[in-house]
Amino acid sequence: MPQIAQVAETYSSQIFWLLVFFGLVFFVVGRGMVPRVMATVGDRDKQIADDLAAAQAARDRADEEEEAWRIRENENRDKAQALVAAAKADAAAKSEKKIAAAQKRLDTKLAEAETRIAASRESALAEIEGVAAEAAQDITMRLAGVKVTKPTATKAVKEAMAHV
């Protein structure tokens, strides 16, 4: 079997070159490239962990700032509501004063008007009494032919108007 004899001759040479290439691959890839790749993976993992920690810290800080902002806004809202309430109370007090002053002026005008009306009524009644007294004198003169004095006619007209 010449093929087997030929294999035995080249067998040791193939093993030698196999060991040379495996050794070369082991030292180039295993000792040279793998540590760099693993270092890169480790750096990437560390960077991701650092980024996650920074993101969590930023989130916590943002939550704290948001809570502080809400507290500030609530305080500002309360202050604004207090200012609005004070302004309403102030406006109500000013309006109350203005209304009171206007009511006082209206009451004064009403009292003056009532006084003028009463005076006009008295004047009108006196005028009516005078005209009625003259008419009563004239009527008694024409109908009965009796002359009635002015004081008597005035007294009779007052008595008649008191019953009406």
Side-chain angles (χ1 to χ4, degrees):
M1 299 239 225
Q3 290 104 356
I4 295 178
Q6 207 176 25
V7 171
E9 294 174 4
T10 59
Y11 184 68
S12 63
S13 149
Q14 289 175 349
I15 290 176
F16 171 74
W17 286 111
L18 181 69
L19 289 176
V20 169
F21 281 115
F22 277 139
L24 183 65
V25 168
F26 175 75
F27 284 109
V28 170
V29 173
R31 296 284 185 189
M33 293 176 72
V34 171
R36 289 186 204 162
V37 170
M38 293 307 291
T40 303
V41 169
D43 289 345
R44 181 177 286 163
D45 288 345
K46 184 180 180 297
Q47 182 66 35
I48 289 171
D50 291 345
D51 289 347
L52 288 174
Q56 185 61 39
R59 175 181 284 165
D60 293 342
R61 192 169 53 251
D63 288 343
E64 290 171 4
E65 288 178 13
E66 181 182 7
E67 185 62 30
W69 175 81
R70 285 184 188 196
I71 290 170
R72 244 186 355 263
E73 285 302 308
N74 288 339
E75 289 171 355
N76 289 340
R77 187 177 300 114
D78 291 342
K79 288 177 185 177
Q81 287 175 348
L83 286 174
V84 167
K88 282 183 181 179
D90 188 37
K94 287 180 180 179
S95 295
E96 187 74 29
K97 287 179 183 178
K98 286 180 181 180
I99 289 172
Q103 186 64 40
K104 199 172 192 180
R105 286 191 308 267
L106 289 175
D107 289 344
T108 303
K109 285 183 179 182
L110 182 64
E112 291 172 358
E114 285 177 351
T115 304
R116 285 194 311 266
I117 289 171
S120 295
R121 181 185 302 139
E122 292 298 322
S123 172
L125 282 176
E127 205 171 303
I128 289 172
E129 284 178 2
V131 169
E134 288 177 11
Q137 281 178 324
D138 191 39
I139 290 171
T140 54
M141 178 58 112
R142 287 187 185 181
L143 291 179
V146 178
K147 186 174 182 182
V148 178
T149 63
K150 188 165 181 137
T152 306
T154 303
K155 183 179 175 187
V157 167
K158 283 186 181 183
E159 285 177 11
M161 287 183 83
H163 294 293
V164 176

